[in-house]
Amino acid sequence: MYGELSLQPGLVRILKSIDAVAQTGKEAGTPTEVQIHLTSLMHVAALSVSALSGLPKCQLASPHKDIQTGFDAHGNLRLECLHSPMHCWDLNGHQGPC
């Protein structure tokens, strides 16, 4: 169990690795264009891995909705459900603001 979500530990490790690549691009002081490109690539990677691994549906409201990956305002990879209002989790499984 991963917070309110049931995620495979291997998937969590991979998503954290993808997030680390995006964070390294920012921390390394690369040009903004490179950071934007790297973030876009990592988002596609996270979406692909999540789609192949099968994220559970968000069950915090009814009907249950799909969960996808996204980035918060600080550029951190997170999990987002498609409810309105949306529910979000960081990669440590903590639910937080979207």
Side-chain angles (χ1 to χ4, degrees), residues 2-45:
Y2 183 74
E4 294 91 8
L5 302 174
S6 179
L7 297 179
Q8 301 168 357
L11 173 59
V12 174
R13 283 184 58 205
I14 291 168
L15 292 176
K16 285 184 177 185
S17 295
I18 290 170
D19 184 52
V21 171
Q23 297 305 318
T24 300
K26 290 189 300 186
E27 293 166 3
T30 57
T32 303
E33 296 82 15
V34 173
Q35 291 179 33
I36 292 169
H37 182 67
L38 189 57
T39 298
S40 296
L41 286 173
M42 293 304 97
H43 190 214
V44 169

Side-chain angles (χ1 to χ4, degrees), residues 2 7-8 12-13 20 28 31 34-36 38 45 47 50 52-53 62 64 71 78-79 89:
Y2 183 74
L7 297 179
Q8 301 168 357
V12 174
R13 283 184 58 205
V34 173
Q35 291 179 33
I36 292 169
L38 189 57
L47 286 171
S50 299
L52 290 172
S53 297
S62 192
H64 301 166
F71 286 90
R78 68 179 180 190
L79 300 173
W89 297 266

